[in-house]
Coordinates of all heavy atoms in Angstrom, one line a residue:
S1 N -31.3 -18.4 50.0 CA -32.7 -18.1 50.0 C -32.9 -16.5 50.0 O -33.9 -16.0 49.4 CB -33.4 -18.7 51.3 OG -33.3 -20.1 51.2
E2 N -32.1 -15.8 50.7 CA -32.2 -14.4 50.8 C -31.9 -13.8 49.4 O -32.5 -12.8 49.0 CB -31.3 -13.8 51.8 CG -31.8 -14.1 53.2 CD -30.8 -13.6 54.3 OE1 -29.8 -12.9 54.0 OE2 -31.1 -14.0 55.5
A3 N -31.0 -14.4 48.6 CA -30.7 -14.0 47.2 C -32.0 -14.2 46.4 O -32.3 -13.3 45.6 CB -29.5 -14.8 46.7
V4 N -32.7 -15.3 46.6 CA -33.9 -15.5 45.8 C -34.9 -14.5 46.2 O -35.6 -13.9 45.3 CB -34.5 -16.9 46.1 CG1 -35.9 -17.1 45.6 CG2 -33.5 -18.0 45.6
E5 N -35.0 -14.1 47.5 CA -36.0 -13.1 47.9 C -35.6 -11.7 47.3 O -36.5 -10.9 46.9 CB -36.0 -13.0 49.4 CG -37.0 -12.0 50.0 CD -38.5 -12.3 49.6 OE1 -38.8 -13.4 49.1 OE2 -39.3 -11.5 49.9
A6 N -34.3 -11.4 47.3 CA -33.8 -10.2 46.7 C -34.2 -10.1 45.2 O -34.6 -9.1 44.7 CB -32.3 -10.0 46.9
D7 N -34.0 -11.2 44.5 CA -34.4 -11.3 43.1 C -35.9 -11.1 42.9 O -36.3 -10.4 42.0 CB -34.0 -12.7 42.5 CG -34.3 -12.8 41.1 OD1 -34.1 -11.9 40.3 OD2 -34.9 -13.9 40.7
R8 N -36.7 -11.7 43.8 CA -38.1 -11.5 43.7 C -38.5 -10.1 43.8 O -39.5 -9.6 43.2 CB -38.8 -12.3 44.8 CG -40.3 -12.4 44.7 CD -41.0 -13.2 45.8 NE -40.8 -12.4 47.1 CZ -41.6 -11.4 47.4 NH1 -42.5 -10.9 46.6 NH2 -41.5 -10.8 48.6
K9 N -37.8 -9.3 44.6 CA -38.1 -7.9 44.9 C -37.4 -7.0 43.8 O -37.5 -5.8 43.9 CB -37.6 -7.5 46.3 CG -38.4 -8.1 47.4 CD -37.8 -7.7 48.7 CE -38.6 -8.3 49.9 NZ -38.0 -8.0 51.2
G10 N -36.6 -7.6 42.9 CA -35.9 -6.9 41.9 C -34.7 -6.1 42.4 O -34.3 -5.1 41.8
K11 N -34.1 -6.6 43.5 CA -33.0 -5.9 44.1 C -31.6 -6.5 43.6 O -31.1 -7.5 44.2 CB -33.0 -6.0 45.7 CG -34.2 -5.2 46.3 CD -34.1 -5.3 47.8 CE -33.0 -4.4 48.3 NZ -32.9 -4.3 49.7
W12 N -31.1 -5.9 42.6 CA -29.8 -6.3 42.0 C -28.9 -5.1 42.1 O -29.4 -4.0 41.8 CB -30.0 -6.7 40.5 CG -30.7 -8.0 40.4 CD1 -32.0 -8.3 40.5 CD2 -30.0 -9.3 40.0 NE1 -32.2 -9.6 40.3 CE2 -31.0 -10.2 39.9 CE3 -28.7 -9.6 39.8 CZ2 -30.8 -11.6 39.6 CZ3 -28.4 -10.9 39.4 CH2 -29.5 -11.9 39.4
A13 N -27.7 -5.3 42.4 CA -26.7 -4.2 42.5 C -26.3 -3.7 41.1 O -26.2 -2.5 40.8 CB -25.5 -4.5 43.3
M14 N -26.0 -4.7 40.3 CA -25.5 -4.4 38.9 C -24.5 -3.3 38.9 O -24.6 -2.3 38.1 CB -26.7 -4.1 38.0 CG -27.6 -5.2 37.8 SD -28.8 -4.9 36.5 CE -30.3 -5.5 37.1
L15 N -23.4 -3.5 39.7 CA -22.4 -2.4 39.8 C -21.5 -2.4 38.5 O -21.1 -3.5 38.0 CB -21.5 -2.7 41.0 CG -22.2 -2.8 42.3 CD1 -21.2 -3.0 43.4 CD2 -23.0 -1.5 42.6
D16 N -21.2 -1.2 38.0 CA -20.2 -1.1 36.9 C -18.8 -1.0 37.5 O -18.7 -0.9 38.8 CB -20.6 0.1 36.0 CG -20.6 1.4 36.8 OD1 -19.8 1.6 37.8 OD2 -21.3 2.3 36.4
H17 N -17.8 -1.1 36.7 CA -16.4 -1.1 37.1 C -16.1 0.2 37.9 O -15.3 0.1 38.9 CB -15.5 -1.3 36.0 CG -15.6 -2.7 35.3 ND1 -15.3 -3.8 36.0 CD2 -16.0 -3.0 34.1 CE1 -15.5 -4.9 35.2 NE2 -16.0 -4.4 34.1
D18 N -16.6 1.3 37.5 CA -16.3 2.6 38.2 C -16.8 2.6 39.6 O -16.2 3.0 40.6 CB -16.8 3.8 37.4 CG -16.1 4.0 36.1 OD1 -14.9 3.5 36.0 OD2 -16.6 4.7 35.3
T19 N -18.1 2.0 39.8 CA -18.7 2.0 41.1 C -17.9 1.0 42.0 O -17.7 1.3 43.2 CB -20.2 1.6 41.0 OG1 -20.8 2.5 40.1 CG2 -20.8 1.6 42.4
I20 N -17.5 -0.1 41.5 CA -16.7 -1.1 42.2 C -15.4 -0.5 42.7 O -15.0 -0.6 43.8 CB -16.5 -2.4 41.4 CG1 -17.8 -3.2 41.3 CG2 -15.4 -3.3 42.1 CD1 -17.7 -4.4 40.4
D21 N -14.8 0.2 41.7 CA -13.5 0.9 42.0 C -13.7 1.9 43.1 O -12.9 2.0 44.1 CB -13.0 1.5 40.8 CG -11.6 2.2 41.0 OD1 -10.7 1.5 41.4 OD2 -11.5 3.4 40.8
T22 N -14.7 2.7 43.1 CA -15.0 3.7 44.1 C -15.2 3.0 45.5 O -14.6 3.5 46.5 CB -16.2 4.6 43.7 OG1 -16.0 5.2 42.5 CG2 -16.5 5.6 44.8
L23 N -16.0 2.0 45.5 CA -16.3 1.3 46.8 C -15.0 0.7 47.3 O -14.8 0.6 48.5 CB -17.3 0.2 46.5 CG -18.8 0.7 46.5 CD1 -19.7 -0.3 45.8 CD2 -19.3 1.0 47.9
Q24 N -14.1 0.2 46.5 CA -12.8 -0.4 46.9 C -11.9 0.7 47.5 O -11.1 0.4 48.4 CB -12.2 -1.1 45.8 CG -12.9 -2.4 45.4 CD -12.4 -3.1 44.2 OE1 -11.8 -2.4 43.3 NE2 -12.6 -4.4 44.1
R25 N -12.0 1.9 46.9 CA -11.0 3.0 47.3 C -11.5 3.7 48.6 O -10.6 4.1 49.4 CB -10.8 4.0 46.2 CG -9.9 3.5 45.1 CD -9.6 4.6 44.1 NE -10.8 5.0 43.3 CZ -11.5 6.1 43.6 NH1 -11.2 6.9 44.5 NH2 -12.6 6.4 42.9
I26 N -12.8 4.0 48.8 CA -13.2 4.8 49.9 C -13.2 4.0 51.2 O -13.3 2.8 51.1 CB -14.5 5.5 49.6 CG1 -15.7 4.5 49.4 CG2 -14.4 6.4 48.4 CD1 -17.0 5.1 49.2
E27 N -13.2 4.7 52.3 CA -13.1 4.0 53.6 C -14.1 4.7 54.5 O -14.8 5.7 54.2 CB -11.7 4.2 54.2 CG -10.6 3.5 53.4 CD -10.6 2.0 53.4 OE1 -11.2 1.4 54.3 OE2 -10.1 1.4 52.4
G28 N -14.3 4.1 55.7 CA -15.1 4.7 56.8 C -16.5 4.9 56.5 O -17.1 4.1 55.7
E29 N -17.1 5.9 57.0 CA -18.5 6.2 56.9 C -19.0 6.4 55.4 O -20.0 5.9 55.0 CB -18.9 7.5 57.7 CG -20.4 7.6 57.9 CD -21.1 6.4 58.5 OE1 -20.5 5.8 59.4 OE2 -22.2 6.1 58.1
P30 N -18.2 7.1 54.6 CA -18.6 7.2 53.2 C -18.7 5.8 52.5 O -19.7 5.6 51.7 CB -17.5 8.0 52.5 CG -16.9 8.8 53.6 CD -17.0 7.9 54.8
F31 N -17.8 4.9 52.8 CA -17.9 3.5 52.3 C -19.2 2.8 52.8 O -19.9 2.2 52.0 CB -16.7 2.7 52.6 CG -16.9 1.2 52.4 CD1 -16.9 0.7 51.1 CD2 -17.2 0.3 53.4 CE1 -17.2 -0.7 50.9 CE2 -17.5 -1.0 53.2 CZ -17.5 -1.5 51.9
V32 N -19.4 2.9 54.1 CA -20.6 2.2 54.7 C -21.9 2.8 54.0 O -22.7 2.0 53.6 CB -20.6 2.4 56.2 CG1 -21.9 1.9 56.8 CG2 -19.4 1.7 56.8
K33 N -22.0 4.1 53.9 CA -23.2 4.7 53.3 C -23.4 4.2 51.9 O -24.5 3.8 51.5 CB -23.1 6.2 53.4 CG -24.4 6.9 52.8 CD -24.4 8.4 52.9 CE -25.6 9.0 52.5 NZ -26.4 8.3 51.5
M34 N -22.3 4.2 51.1 CA -22.4 3.9 49.7 C -22.7 2.4 49.6 O -23.5 2.0 48.7 CB -21.1 4.2 48.9 CG -21.2 4.0 47.5 SD -19.8 4.6 46.6 CE -20.2 4.2 44.9
F35 N -22.1 1.5 50.4 CA -22.4 0.1 50.4 C -23.9 -0.2 50.7 O -24.5 -0.9 50.1 CB -21.5 -0.6 51.4 CG -21.7 -2.1 51.4 CD1 -20.9 -2.9 50.5 CD2 -22.6 -2.8 52.2 CE1 -21.1 -4.3 50.4 CE2 -22.8 -4.1 52.1 CZ -22.0 -4.9 51.2
L36 N -24.4 0.5 51.8 CA -25.8 0.3 52.2 C -26.7 0.8 51.0 O -27.7 0.2 50.8 CB -26.1 1.1 53.4 CG -25.4 0.6 54.7 CD1 -25.6 1.5 55.9 CD2 -25.9 -0.8 55.1
D37 N -26.4 1.9 50.4 CA -27.2 2.4 49.3 C -27.1 1.6 48.0 O -28.2 1.4 47.3 CB -26.8 3.8 48.9 CG -27.1 4.8 50.0 OD1 -27.9 4.5 50.9 OD2 -26.6 5.9 50.0
E38 N -26.0 1.0 47.7 CA -25.8 0.4 46.4 C -25.8 -1.1 46.4 O -26.1 -1.7 45.4 CB -24.4 0.9 45.8 CG -24.2 2.4 45.6 CD -24.9 2.9 44.4 OE1 -25.2 2.1 43.5 OE2 -25.2 4.1 44.3
V39 N -25.4 -1.7 47.5 CA -25.1 -3.2 47.5 C -25.9 -4.0 48.5 O -26.4 -5.1 48.2 CB -23.6 -3.4 47.8 CG1 -23.3 -4.9 47.7 CG2 -22.7 -2.6 46.8
K40 N -26.1 -3.5 49.7 CA -26.6 -4.3 50.8 C -28.0 -4.9 50.5 O -28.8 -4.3 49.9 CB -26.8 -3.4 52.1 CG -27.2 -4.1 53.3 CD -26.1 -4.8 54.0 CE -26.4 -5.4 55.3 NZ -27.2 -6.6 55.3

């Protein structure tokens, strides 16, 4: 249901391979900040 609500608001991550790779490589606070900005 939350995914439906995110769709209604137009909130899609649409991550490219480079962004996924960066998120997989970084750790700690930089990861949390980027995850919150790009994915959450």
Side-chain angles (χ1 to χ4, degrees):
S1 297
E2 289 175 10
V4 168
E5 183 63 9
D7 179 46
R8 189 184 69 77
K9 293 177 178 176
K11 291 186 71 174
W12 288 76
M14 295 192 222
L15 302 180
D16 59 32
H17 293 294
D18 290 340
T19 305
I20 290 171
D21 182 60
T22 300
L23 281 160
Q24 289 170 334
R25 283 186 295 101
I26 61 177
E27 300 291 336
E29 194 57 38
F31 166 75
V32 171
K33 182 178 182 336
M34 187 174 180
F35 184 89
L36 291 172
D37 291 343
E38 303 278 340
V39 183
K40 185 81 171 77

